């Protein structure tokens, strides 16, 4: 099982960026994908997830209305479209999966229970 996050970069406040999570060794049709972020000096924050079965989604309040999670089954990839970016959104973004945890607020809160993590991609928001 491998997850590879990519697409990070420098963006101005108010701008947009899309990060990707390429999965290998398993099929995203069957397992949820979670997005987390961690800024320097801050705890890791669970921000979004997408369910495997029906594609239902969950967003933390901090990103709701600005971020959109989606998936491309053919590419076995999950995306996080980030709009109206703020300085507070600057962080390393990670994707994760687990074969037992559902996409839920609880799973995002208790992230230590998730088994598989990818290396992160850095998002910098600066003018």
């Amino acid at each position: 099982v491998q997850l590879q996050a990519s697409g990070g970069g420098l963006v101005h406040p108010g701008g947009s960026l899309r990060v990707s999570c390429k999965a290998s060794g398993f099929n995203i049709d069957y397992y949820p994908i979670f997005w987390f972020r961690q800024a320097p000096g801050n705890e890791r924050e669970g921000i979004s997830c997408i369910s495997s079965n029906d594609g239902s989604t969950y967003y933390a309040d901090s990103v709701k209305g600005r971020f959109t999670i989606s998936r491309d089954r053919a590419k076995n990839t999950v995306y996080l479209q980030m709009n109206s970016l703020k300085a507070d959104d600057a962080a390393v973004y990670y994707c994760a999966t687990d074969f037992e945890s559902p996409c839920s607020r609880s799973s995002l809160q208790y992230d230590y229970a998730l088994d598989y993590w990818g290396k992160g991609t850095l998002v910098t928001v600066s003018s």
Side-chain angles (χ1 to χ4, degrees):
V1 174
Q2 288 190 331
L3 296 163
Q4 179 62 56
S6 63
L10 172 64
V11 62
H12 295 309
S16 298
L17 195 66
R18 188 180 76 166
V19 292
S20 303
C21 176
K22 171 68 175 174
S24 58
F26 72 101
N27 194 320
I28 64 171
D29 285 352
Y30 301 113
Y31 303 106
I33 299 294
F34 305 86
W35 278 103
F36 293 84
R37 67 185 181 184
Q38 188 167 21
N42 289 2
E43 292 186 356
R44 189 163 58 196
E45 177 189 15
I47 57 174
S48 185
C49 57
I50 185 165
S51 296
S52 56
N53 50 357
D54 61 1
S56 58
T57 58
Y58 175 83
Y59 299 94
D61 288 344
S62 59
V63 304
K64 194 177 297 181
R66 300 187 298 121
F67 290 12
T68 303
I69 191 171
S70 63
R71 61 184 178 181
D72 184 329
R73 291 173 164 178
K75 295 182 178 179
N76 214 34
T77 298
V78 171
Y79 303 99
L80 187 69
Q81 176 67 42
M82 305 182 291
N83 298 329
S84 302
L85 283 161
K86 310 172 185 177
D88 288 349
D89 295 316
V92 177
Y93 283 70
Y94 301 89
C95 54
T97 192
D98 190 83
F99 293 171
E100 296 184 356
S101 300
C103 169
S104 68
R105 176 180 180 177
S106 177
S107 293
L108 288 171
Q109 284 184 325
Y110 301 106
D111 58 2
Y112 55 82
L114 302 183
D115 286 337
Y116 302 101
W117 293 80
K119 293 181 181 180
T121 186
L122 177 64
V123 173
T124 303
V125 183
S126 176
S127 54

